[in-house]
Amino acid sequence: FAQLREGLSRTSNALSDNIASVLTKERLDEDTLDDLEDVLIRADLGVEMAERVRNIVAKNRYDRGATAEAVREVLGDEVSKVLDPVAKPFPPMDEKPFVWLVVGVNGTGKTTTIGKLAHRFQAQGKSVMLAAADTFRAAAIDQLKIWGDRVDAQVICHDVGSDPAGVAYDGLKRAQETNTDVLLIDTAGRLQNKNDLMDELAKIVRVVKKLEEDAPHGVLLVLDATTGQNALNQVELFQQVAGVTGLAVTKLDGTARGGILVAIAERFGLPVHAIGVGEGIDDLESFDAEDFARAIAG
Ligand code: GDP
């Protein structure tokens, strides 16, 4: 919790300063409530959350003005209510191999998250294999290999420019042959052309299903919290092109935009399996609604 609170301190400090700065009047008038709503919207928490907190604060009729503490308490309670239903651990992964398709825009932290996940699953006693199906960037393949070395997991890769679906197919085949518990497939998140992205992911899924009908068993979307509102568009896009089953939200360390996770939870209700709080191998945490709410609301 200390790491989360530290990571989210920019978000929570900005929020508490801004909340305090609008609560300057004796009475809680409409202007003040408008300003408060604005502050919450600017903190990326989402319009729904901002309105709800405003209404609760208004209804509470803090006669001699609301204290920033009272508002933060309302906020913390409401955030916690929204996050509680989405804070879900990873599924039990009973299928063998359990195939994760890991999707997301380039740069959001897919490869890093895959490395951290491999480490975490291994710590649970599972064997893990990685497939480098982002074949568009040599650096992406190299990066996955580095993580493979670090966690001592086999990395299936082909040359740059080869068919991503071929890598996914080989990865699953190899995972089956070696009786591996979990296969994590890294993919390219090129946004230049939505149809290309859709075709590419659809082909990976099609090819993987040839070997294992139920695969992929999970589609994990990696989102970068620092991109703020863009993250909402990314969820929408990847929902359409890949059918997301769960989220990992990265870079929650040191961002002022941690509130975006609340807006995402409210809008989509997708399970949040883990959050990234740093670049290191252990900097992936399970997502705890209450902790997050408390860290944000201060
Ligand atoms: P990909 O293109 O989606 O595979 O992204 P990468 O995994 O290569 O990550 C892009 C950059 O973000 C790298 O410099 C990572 O070290 C960094 N990164 C990934 N996750 C986190 C995180 O949770 N916190 C921080 N601070 N950096 C992260």
Side-chain angles (χ1 to χ4, degrees), residues 151-205:
V151 301
D152 196 18
Q154 195 179 350
V155 181
I156 305 301
C157 56
H158 294 177
D159 291 338
V160 178
S162 61
D163 183 2
V167 182
Y169 184 88
D170 276 3
L172 179 50
K173 196 149 159 275
R174 190 84 194 110
Q176 287 174 330
E177 285 162 5
T178 52
N179 211 21
T180 299
D181 293 315
V182 182
L183 173 69
L184 291 156
I185 304 176
D186 196 7
T187 63
R190 298 167 306 141
L191 285 191
Q192 289 81 350
N193 185 324
K194 183 179 151 188
N195 289 332
D196 284 353
L197 184 69
M198 187 167 337
D199 290 349
E200 185 179 314
L201 292 172
K203 188 170 176 194
I204 291 178
V205 169

Side-chain angles (χ1 to χ4, degrees), residues 105-112 116 137 251 253 276-279:
V105 173
N106 290 342
T108 52
K110 278 189 305 286
T111 310
T112 307
K116 293 171 177 175
R137 301 175 299 166
K251 308 188 196 179
D253 48 310
V277 291
E279 297 183 277

Side-chain angles (χ1 to χ4, degrees), residues 143-154:
Q143 199 57 31
L144 197 69
K145 281 186 186 158
I146 291 171
W147 274 106
D149 283 344
R150 198 173 291 168
V151 301
D152 196 18
Q154 195 179 350

Side-chain angles (χ1 to χ4, degrees), residues 147-287:
W147 274 106
D149 283 344
R150 198 173 291 168
V151 301
D152 196 18
Q154 195 179 350
V155 181
I156 305 301
C157 56
H158 294 177
D159 291 338
V160 178
S162 61
D163 183 2
V167 182
Y169 184 88
D170 276 3
L172 179 50
K173 196 149 159 275
R174 190 84 194 110
Q176 287 174 330
E177 285 162 5
T178 52
N179 211 21
T180 299
D181 293 315
V182 182
L183 173 69
L184 291 156
I185 304 176
D186 196 7
T187 63
R190 298 167 306 141
L191 285 191
Q192 289 81 350
N193 185 324
K194 183 179 151 188
N195 289 332
D196 284 353
L197 184 69
M198 187 167 337
D199 290 349
E200 185 179 314
L201 292 172
K203 188 170 176 194
I204 291 178
V205 169
R206 207 161 59 233
V207 154
V208 155
K209 282 191 186 304
K210 283 188 185 164
L211 291 172
E212 178 63 59
E213 211 183 316
D214 299 334
H217 305 96
V219 179
L220 184 72
L221 172 61
V222 178
L223 294 170
D224 175 345
T226 65
T227 60
Q229 298 295 309
N230 272 333
L232 293 166
N233 303 331
Q234 292 171 18
V235 180
E236 219 149 65
L237 173 70
F238 282 95
Q239 279 269 63
Q240 282 174 30
V241 302
V244 174
T245 65
L247 305 175
V249 182
T250 66
K251 308 188 196 179
L252 280 163
D253 48 310
T255 178
R257 316 196 74 171
I260 194 64
L261 203 156
V262 178
I264 292 166
E266 179 126 56
R267 168 102 59 100
F268 300 101
L270 284 164
V272 179
H273 293 315
I275 54 175
V277 291
E279 297 183 277
I281 194 165
D282 287 314
D283 295 332
L284 186 79
E285 295 191 355
S286 299
F287 181 59

